[in-house]
Amino acid sequence: GAVVSQHPSRVICKSGTSVKIECRSLDFQATTMFWYRQFPKQSLMLMATSNEGSKATYEQGVEKDKFLINHASLTLSTLTVTSAHPEDSSFYICSARDGGGKSEQFFGPGTRLTVL
Amino acid sequence: ELKVEQNPLFLSMQEGKNYTIYCNYSTTSDRLYWYRQDPGKSLESLFVLLSNGAVKQEGRLMASLDTKARLSTLHITAAVHDLSATYFCAVVYTGTASKLTFGTGTRLQVTL
């Protein structure tokens, strides 16, 4: 149980275009989902926390107008990178939590974004 | 500032040897996780440590937590090549709405 999927797993796009990444909890209802970014050989940095039906909470330094997050249902959150640029190229990982604060986060397989 | 530091950042060890990875964190935490990440892959959960003195073991890996020292260790016993990966600790700091703060990561390379 507790499987989280991401789609696509890999995407290459041109500079200036927008890219949408989906994160789904397959066998549980995710009240909270988290979006992380990981640059090569670096750690994971939390970008934002999204709760179903409400606006996402962004970490300091993350542009909310550039990284649009929607959590419209208990099994789906989306991250849209708007007007992507090469510096947005990264590994994006989502996680989902099925309950209250002490419950574990389950991680998706990640999406490799390359902006040309 | 909520920081999590790991050392070493890179560890090359021979098969059969023992070693310890250290994870220091900066203030009171609710729980601490250890994860493994293979190249190009996402995270695999290894352990969650909830209280002072907690010790968990799985195969050749053993994790412990000392909340007074704000220190967790991941001990590797008789390393094998399959353990080669990057290991992260991550802390849920008290009062942060269960957000994970990740350590810098330790890249482990086990050589034959």
Side-chain angles (χ1 to χ4, degrees), chain A residues 34 36 38 42-44 46 49 59 91 93 97 101-105 107-110 112, chain B residues 30-31 33 35 37 40-43 45 48 88 92 97-100 102-105 107:
Chain A
F34 301 86
Y36 297 86
Q38 185 181 31
Q42 294 190 22
S43 187
L44 279 74
L46 179 65
T49 304
E59 294 299 301
F91 193 45
I93 304 174
R97 192 173 69 196
K102 291 192 182 298
S103 56
E104 184 175 354
Q105 292 183 31
F107 287 84
R112 173 79 56 197
Chain B
D30 288 342
R31 54 197 180 280
Y33 294 88
Y35 296 96
Q37 186 178 37
K41 305 290 187 183
S42 188
L43 301 181
S45 179
V48 55
F88 291 98
V92 175
S98 297
K99 293 191 293 188
L100 287 170
F102 279 84
T104 45
R107 187 158 73 93

Side-chain angles (χ1 to χ4, degrees), chain B residues 30-85:
Chain B
D30 288 342
R31 54 197 180 280
L32 187 145
Y33 294 88
W34 283 96
Y35 296 96
R36 168 183 172 143
Q37 186 178 37
D38 291 299
K41 305 290 187 183
S42 188
L43 301 181
E44 174 190 350
S45 179
L46 296 175
F47 303 108
V48 55
L49 302 168
L50 301 177
S51 59
N52 187 44
V55 176
K56 290 199 174 176
Q57 183 164 5
E58 180 73 36
R60 301 175 187 274
L61 301 178
M62 183 173 72
S64 65
L65 179 63
D66 180 342
T67 58
K68 294 178 182 177
R70 295 178 186 156
L71 170 69
S72 180
T73 61
L74 181 66
H75 187 73
I76 303 152
T77 302
V80 292
H81 182 67
D82 286 351
L83 289 179
S84 297

Side-chain angles (χ1 to χ4, degrees), chain B residues 1-48:
Chain B
E1 185 185 353
L2 303 179
K3 290 176 62 175
V4 182
E5 294 182 341
Q6 287 180 236
N7 72 84
L9 298 182
F10 176 73
L11 175 58
S12 180
M13 55 190 300
Q14 288 182 320
E15 278 201 331
K17 299 291 187 183
N18 305 332
Y19 211 85
T20 301
I21 299 171
Y22 297 89
C23 172
N24 288 92
Y25 55 96
S26 57
T27 189
T28 310
S29 80
D30 288 342
R31 54 197 180 280
L32 187 145
Y33 294 88
W34 283 96
Y35 296 96
R36 168 183 172 143
Q37 186 178 37
D38 291 299
K41 305 290 187 183
S42 188
L43 301 181
E44 174 190 350
S45 179
L46 296 175
F47 303 108
V48 55

Side-chain angles (χ1 to χ4, degrees), chain A residues 19-65:
Chain A
V19 174
K20 180 186 284 189
I21 303 169
E22 294 186 347
C23 176
R24 293 182 186 272
S25 56
L26 298 185
D27 51 1
F28 65 98
Q29 292 187 324
T31 53
T32 305
M33 288 183 169
F34 301 86
W35 287 95
Y36 297 86
R37 180 168 54 183
Q38 185 181 31
F39 293 109
K41 298 194 189 308
Q42 294 190 22
S43 187
L44 279 74
M45 298 298 295
L46 179 65
M47 298 174 68
T49 304
S50 77
N51 292 294
E52 184 265 339
S54 60
K55 287 184 179 180
T57 303
Y58 290 82
E59 294 299 301
Q60 194 171 13
V62 178
E63 299 174 60
K64 62 181 181 181
D65 294 331

